[in-house]
Amino acid sequence: MIAVVVIIVLATLALAGLGVMASAPRWPLPAEALAAYGGYALALVAAMGVLILLVMLAHQQRLQQRALTRSLELQQAQQRGLETTQLMERFVHQAELLLERESLDPNKRSVLRCLSIDALRGNTGRGDPNYHRLARLFEWLAQEAEAAGQDPVRQRLMEPVLRQYAEIADQLCHVGEADPTRLEPFLRFQPQARPEAERIEA
């Protein structure tokens, strides 16, 4: 804005100089010439003032528009964050319902342990519709995570849940209930593989 104001002032001064030169004044100036030059100067100053005022108003309008745009973007981001949080809560609720089994330590639930207990009861596990539903639920969340790839806010909100269920997603793939390519957003968050001795002790 300052550059535009400077240009307006310089242009006004240039017009004033051109006007004086074009009139070829004679010295000393008569009273009539002084009145004419005074009116000309006042007109130029008034025009300059109007132009500067318009520039300032336009600049203020742009600032207000930018502030409004930023406010709308912030509100949209907050709305998306709220929707994502609600989606994550519903996902965790549904996933935990499907993983719920009797005689399982809540801190150690996993698909493989569920399959082992089902096998002891005479069920192969692969025929249990709950695992199929769980795999489809995971695939849905994986699609949501993929769609949020360009939204850092949604990514940050979804990442803890993806990390929490990454190992289960990997196990679903190992038992053939899910496609690894469809669960890629989960699998990239699975924990580091533990040493064999540690796995045996666990």
Side-chain angles (χ1 to χ4, degrees):
M1 184 187 71
I2 295 177
V4 176
V5 171
V6 171
I7 291 173
I8 292 174
V9 172
L10 292 177
T12 302
L13 293 175
L15 284 175
L18 289 174
V20 171
M21 292 176 61
S23 64
R26 295 179 181 179
W27 304 97
L29 293 175
E32 297 81 4
L34 286 174
Y37 285 134
Y40 180 63
L42 288 175
L44 288 177
V45 171
M48 180 181 67
V50 170
L51 289 176
I52 291 176
L53 180 61
L54 290 175
V55 169
M56 293 178 64
L57 289 175
H59 179 69
Q60 187 67 25
Q61 184 68 26
R62 284 195 299 270
L63 291 178
Q64 292 177 352
Q65 185 66 32
R66 289 175 185 173
L68 179 60
T69 301
R70 285 195 296 268
S71 177
L72 291 175
E73 290 174 352
L74 180 60
Q75 290 179 2
Q76 291 173 355
Q78 292 175 342
Q79 181 66 27
R80 290 195 302 269
L82 179 60
E83 292 174 354
T84 301
T85 300
Q86 293 173 345
L87 285 175
M88 293 304 96
E89 290 175 352
R90 286 201 292 268
F91 167 83
V92 171
H93 177 70
Q94 293 296 325
E96 289 301 313
L97 284 179
L98 292 172
L99 286 169
E100 187 67 41
R101 292 291 186 276
E102 59 182 329
S103 302
L104 283 181
D105 183 342
N107 296 321
K108 297 181 179 180
R109 282 197 302 257
S110 69
V111 172
L112 293 184
R113 290 187 177 90
C114 291
L115 290 173
S116 299
I117 290 179
D118 286 342
L120 291 175
R121 295 171 179 169
N123 183 1
T124 61
R126 292 289 299 277
D128 191 333
N130 286 319
Y131 301 118
H132 180 74
R133 296 190 188 102
L134 185 64
R136 300 293 82 76
L137 181 64
F138 275 34
E139 289 179 0
W140 168 82
L141 185 57
Q143 292 174 359
E144 291 291 322
E146 203 68 38
Q150 302 301 321
D151 191 334
V153 175
R154 293 193 68 198
Q155 284 182 333
R156 287 195 298 271
L157 290 172
M158 298 180 77
E159 184 173 326
V161 176
L162 294 174
R163 290 187 183 279
Q164 179 182 353
Y165 290 92
E167 186 176 3
I168 296 177
D170 181 58
Q171 293 165 351
L172 281 171
C173 295
H174 276 90
V175 299
E177 290 290 346
D179 184 352
T181 58
R182 294 182 179 179
L183 294 189
E184 178 59 29
F186 273 107
L187 300 181
R188 69 170 65 113
F189 287 111
Q190 62 182 314
Q192 295 287 337
R194 294 178 296 172
E196 186 65 28
E198 186 179 348
R199 289 202 299 267
I200 294 175
E201 291 177 0

